[in-house]
Amino acid sequence: MQLHFYRPLSSAPSTSPPSEPDLTSFHSFSFDPSAPDYTSLLSDELLLNILSKLPISQHVSNSLVCKRWLHLHGRLVYSLKVADWSFVTSGRVFTRFPNLTDLDLVRACIQMPKSSGIIVTHKTMSVHVDTHFILDGFLEETALLPSNAVDQGLRMIAGKYPNLQRLAATGASEEGLLRIAEECPTLQELELHCCGDLALRGIAGIKNSQVVKLMGFIGVFYNSTISDIGLTLLAQGCRRLVKLELCGCEGSYDGIKAIGQCCQMLEELTLSEHRMDGGWLAGLSFCGNLKTLRLRSCKSIDKSPGADEHLGSCLTLEELHLQGCQIRDKQSVKALFLVCENVRDIVLHDCWGLEDDVFSLTSICRRVKLLSLEGCSLLTIKGLELVVLSWKELQRLRVMSCNNIKDTEVTPELATLFSVLKELIWRPDSRSLLSSNLAGTGMGRKGDRFFKRSKD
């Protein structure tokens, strides 16, 4: 949890008198407000086609020319993040931006002052809060819009944007999501914050959804529960899923198995801060088309993975990413690599407890072509060498900010491997790199050695 306080910078007043503006460069420019506006001779369709050819960075400034250009600019906007819920309920968003296909309502569903200089950050999200915010409570108890208000807004959106392709909302219930499913047949991407099992019954009607992100329990923000019931409802309703991200979700083997059996097109699965029961890893073997598995900020991989012979494996899995995870438990780490034994790419960033004996378990995967290590400060050159030399198909190696790996300890065998790799990024010890760059400058030395008294 991080608190950020922003204060506007104020410059000291100048003591010199203000200078007169130099208007000499404008003498040759003549502006006649009574001159005809030749753009009025163009039809809306032609002018809209001209404005669409301009760079996107100029769209906002072009919309300030006149009311007509402002109206045409709104027709060119297809993606919008709403910060004020009244912008939706008043209907202004539909008049101002009639062609939206991507709508984000997450910030608008949180009743906090957007002008506040206090921002609470918790890994996956940031929220503006006021001075009365209590860290012991949850946003859904004090600051979130009631579900009936969110559902009312979703009904309005469903009626005005039938071509909607992406929607992000907070605190929606089954009723509002059912209306979206009925009126928006082209919806493909859905992001739901603070939703429970019952709300997921509403997205069962979104037959064309391909990307879904669900956020359940998140720190002091959300206290909602997504269990095997919700995961099963999701799996049975969204059978065309290609990418699924679960943040703070509960569940077990049954929920993951249901997703694997029903969502046969699923290619990417991400679990962030998961609260899964023991044994969920075995459910991954039912994901017959899974290519990428990501674990982020997980306090444990699997509390009780069970016997090795009952785990199974993902035959199609190609990439395994672990970021900010605790991997001290050798049994769960071993179970993970047994399930992912066919991976080609292994990415380990800022993982806690990655010692040599834990890292040696990656040798279970025999077909690795890419290894990326970053922020793994407990791993030594000996542990790294034992594993990478056993991989006969290794082609790319990236080692960054692993301060326990020293350049001076590289063996001739490891150097030979480096010479045949297609890609090598080797910046393991940032301290030694810094000291080598500062050599001869006098910087980086202790004060009692750098500052010497002059003898009178």
Side-chain angles (χ1 to χ4, degrees):
M1 182 67 59
Q2 300 178 1
L3 291 175
H4 304 278
F5 298 86
Y6 292 92
R7 182 176 301 171
L9 299 177
S10 59
S11 57
S14 175
T15 56
S16 59
S19 58
E20 294 294 333
D22 184 11
L23 302 179
T24 56
S25 58
F26 294 95
H27 288 336
S28 59
F29 177 78
S30 59
F31 175 73
D32 184 7
S34 61
D37 179 12
Y38 293 104
T39 61
S40 62
L41 302 176
L42 303 176
S43 63
D44 287 350
E45 291 73 15
L46 182 57
L47 184 56
L48 187 65
N49 188 25
I50 295 174
L51 294 176
S52 65
K53 304 297 183 182
L54 298 176
I56 298 179
S57 58
Q58 298 181 11
H59 284 185
V60 176
S61 58
N62 292 335
S63 66
L64 303 178
V65 173
C66 61
K67 291 184 178 180
R68 184 191 180 200
W69 285 35
L70 177 66
H71 174 70
L72 294 177
H73 165 261
R75 295 168 60 180
L76 292 174
V77 176
Y78 299 99
S79 177
L80 182 67
K81 291 185 178 180
V82 180
D84 187 356
W85 186 250
S86 63
F87 192 51
V88 177
T89 56
S90 64
R92 288 177 294 165
V93 64
F94 310 120
T95 305
R96 179 71 176 86
F97 306 104
N99 299 325
L100 290 181
T101 59
D102 183 348
L103 186 58
D104 190 332
L105 304 173
V106 172
R107 291 187 60 189
C109 296
I110 301 176
Q111 299 178 6
M112 283 288 183
K114 306 302 186 294
S115 59
S116 173
I118 307 175
I119 299 179
V120 177
T121 301
H122 181 77
K123 296 180 182 179
T124 56
M125 62 179 299
S126 299
V127 176
H128 288 263
V129 300
D130 55 19
T131 56
H132 301 292
F133 177 72
I134 302 176
L135 292 178
D136 295 333
F138 292 94
L139 284 180
E140 62 181 294
E141 301 172 354
T142 58
L144 290 189
L145 285 174
S147 296
N148 57 352
V150 177
D151 292 339
Q152 180 183 2
L154 292 182
R155 287 194 294 269
M156 298 174 63
I157 291 170
K160 297 293 184 178
Y161 295 133
N163 297 322
L164 197 64
Q165 297 180 8
R166 180 184 181 274
L167 175 66
T170 302
S173 70
E174 177 185 358
E175 181 182 353
L177 294 174
L178 279 175
R179 188 62 180 272
I180 292 291
E182 295 173 358
E183 303 291 339
C184 304
T186 60
L187 188 67
Q188 297 180 357
E189 186 172 348
L190 183 64
E191 179 178 337
L192 294 179
H193 292 228
C194 192
C195 64
D197 290 334
L198 296 181
L200 296 181
R201 295 170 58 183
I203 68 174
I206 308 178
K207 303 299 182 181
N208 294 321
S209 58
Q210 298 181 5
V211 180
V212 173
K213 179 178 181 180
L214 303 178
M215 301 188 70
F217 182 90
I218 302 296
V220 298
F221 294 145
Y222 308 141
N223 191 28
S224 55
T225 300
I226 299 177
S227 64
D228 284 337
I229 298 175
L231 296 180
T232 303
L233 291 172
L234 170 69
Q236 294 177 350
C238 304
R239 295 179 177 268
R240 297 185 179 182
L241 272 184
V242 176
K243 182 178 179 181
L244 175 63
E245 182 173 353
L246 304 174
C247 301
C249 297
E250 300 178 6
S252 65
Y253 166 83
D254 294 330
I256 300 299
K257 176 183 176 181
I259 291 175
Q261 289 179 331
C262 298
C263 306
Q264 299 182 4
M265 299 173 61
L266 185 66
E267 295 183 357
E268 182 174 334
L269 175 62
T270 301
L271 300 179
S272 300
E273 300 183 75
H274 79 74
R275 309 173 74 194
M276 297 283 181
D277 294 336
W280 71 270
L281 271 175
L284 291 175
S285 60
F286 293 91
C287 301
N289 197 42
L290 189 65
K291 292 181 172 57
T292 303
L293 176 63
R294 303 178 189 272
L295 301 179
R296 296 174 180 169
S297 304
C298 298
K299 295 182 179 180
S300 64
I301 303 299
D302 192 329
K303 298 178 181 178
S304 180
D308 295 347
E309 56 269 18
H310 298 153
L311 289 173
S313 64
C314 291
L315 301 178
T316 60
L317 196 64
E318 297 178 357
E319 299 181 22
L320 174 62
H321 298 252
L322 276 73
Q323 182 177 358
C325 298
Q326 296 187 20
I327 53 177
R328 295 185 177 94
D329 185 6
K330 296 181 183 178
Q331 182 183 5
S332 63
V333 174
K334 179 182 178 181
L336 175 65
F337 288 119
L338 284 173
V339 173
C340 307
E341 61 180 350
N342 293 317
V343 294
R344 304 297 182 89
D345 301 347
I346 297 180
V347 179
L348 305 174
H349 288 182
D350 301 317
C351 291
W352 300 347
L354 186 63
E355 299 179 346
D356 289 350
D357 53 348
V358 176
F359 181 72
S360 64
L361 297 174
T362 59
S363 60
I364 297 174
C365 309
R366 309 298 300 175
R367 305 174 64 184
V368 176
K369 293 185 176 182
L370 180 145
L371 174 64
S372 178
L373 300 173
E374 183 174 348
C376 303
S377 58
L378 298 180
L379 184 64
T380 66
I381 193 73
K382 182 178 180 181
L384 176 65
E385 181 180 12
L386 289 176
V387 173
V388 297
L389 291 181
S390 66
W391 288 335
K392 304 305 180 182
E393 300 182 24
L394 186 65
Q395 299 177 358
R396 293 175 172 84
L397 177 62
R398 305 166 187 168
V399 180
M400 295 172 286
S401 301
C402 301
N403 293 335
N404 212 19
I405 297 178
K406 308 297 182 182
D407 291 337
T408 56
E409 298 176 355
V410 175
T411 62
E413 293 80 6
L414 199 56
T416 302
L417 174 65
F418 291 170
S419 63
V420 298
L421 292 176
K422 292 183 178 180
E423 177 187 354
L424 175 63
I425 299 179
W426 185 261
R427 295 192 296 270
D429 188 359
S430 57
R431 290 174 296 183
S432 63
L433 179 63
L434 177 63
S435 60
S436 62
N437 291 336
L438 296 179
T441 63
M443 299 178 62
R445 300 172 60 183
K446 293 184 177 181
D448 58 346
R449 298 179 181 178
F450 184 74
F451 298 102
K452 297 182 179 179
R453 293 183 178 181
S454 59
K455 297 182 179 180
D456 297 334

